[in-house]
Amino acid sequence: NPIAKVGLPMTLSFYEQLKFWQTFFNELGFETVISDESSREMYYLGQHTIPSDTVCYPAKLAHGHIEYLLDKGVDFIFYPCMSYNIDEGGSDNHFNCPVVAYYSELLKGNVEELSKVKFLYPYLNINNKKELTKELYNYLAKFFDGINKAEVKAAVDFGLNEYEKYMQAVRDEGTRALDFARKNNKRIMILAGRPYHIDAEIGHGIDKLANSLGFVVVS
């Protein structure tokens, strides 16, 4: 039997980090439930809890994803706060924007239904494995019996390994697309954005539009 059923909202930072978190919780013995792809209906599901019209659409969609998970009867929802994203060594900083970093705080304050379920949003540093293991162990052990540090460490290691395999698969696909474009003398378009722009409800099919105009698209 799983320890508990955890809901992971498919929004904002989870587009890049889902492989890590799903692997981590599964390895520890939790059942993971992921919210469906975004849609207009998903947006309407959470529209009544959005406090500000000025926040970006990807953040507004998070409200619907939370409502979706609540409807699925999960035991708790996990949505950590992170000042930093994963450091890819490509620039001099790797801050998350404030909305991505701390949106859980806003959800906690505005989605009344969240008071009926555990909503766990620890502040974590995903770039320091030792620190991350310690923080996750100390945090989860408060809520669930039988969590031990060695298992948390192993789950973090395995999760980071799976994350790296996923990122390599993305890079490999990009290489394959470039090779195809060069071999077939096609124009290449780089779609520069954030990971959650691949959400069909957010990206509005711009990749398909580019394809229809004869471009090979890489992210």
Side-chain angles (χ1 to χ4, degrees), residues 181-215:
R182 288 172 184 138
K183 198 192 286 181
N184 293 281
N185 203 24
K186 286 186 173 287
R187 289 177 299 175
I188 296 162
M189 180 185 286
I190 296 172
L191 273 184
R194 298 176 182 224
Y196 49 80
H197 289 153
I198 65 167
D199 185 317
E201 179 65 19
I202 295 167
H204 299 301
I206 193 168
D207 54 328
K208 292 180 179 64
L209 174 66
N211 282 156
S212 74
L213 296 171
F215 287 96

Side-chain angles (χ1 to χ4, degrees), residues 26-50:
N26 287 343
E27 281 298 297
L28 274 184
F30 291 88
E31 181 186 338
T32 51
V33 178
I34 298 153
S35 56
D36 266 357
E37 287 182 24
S38 300
S39 62
R40 187 49 57 156
E41 291 68 39
M42 184 81 84
Y43 169 71
Y44 290 139
L45 207 56
Q47 189 182 24
H48 63 290
T49 64
I50 298 169

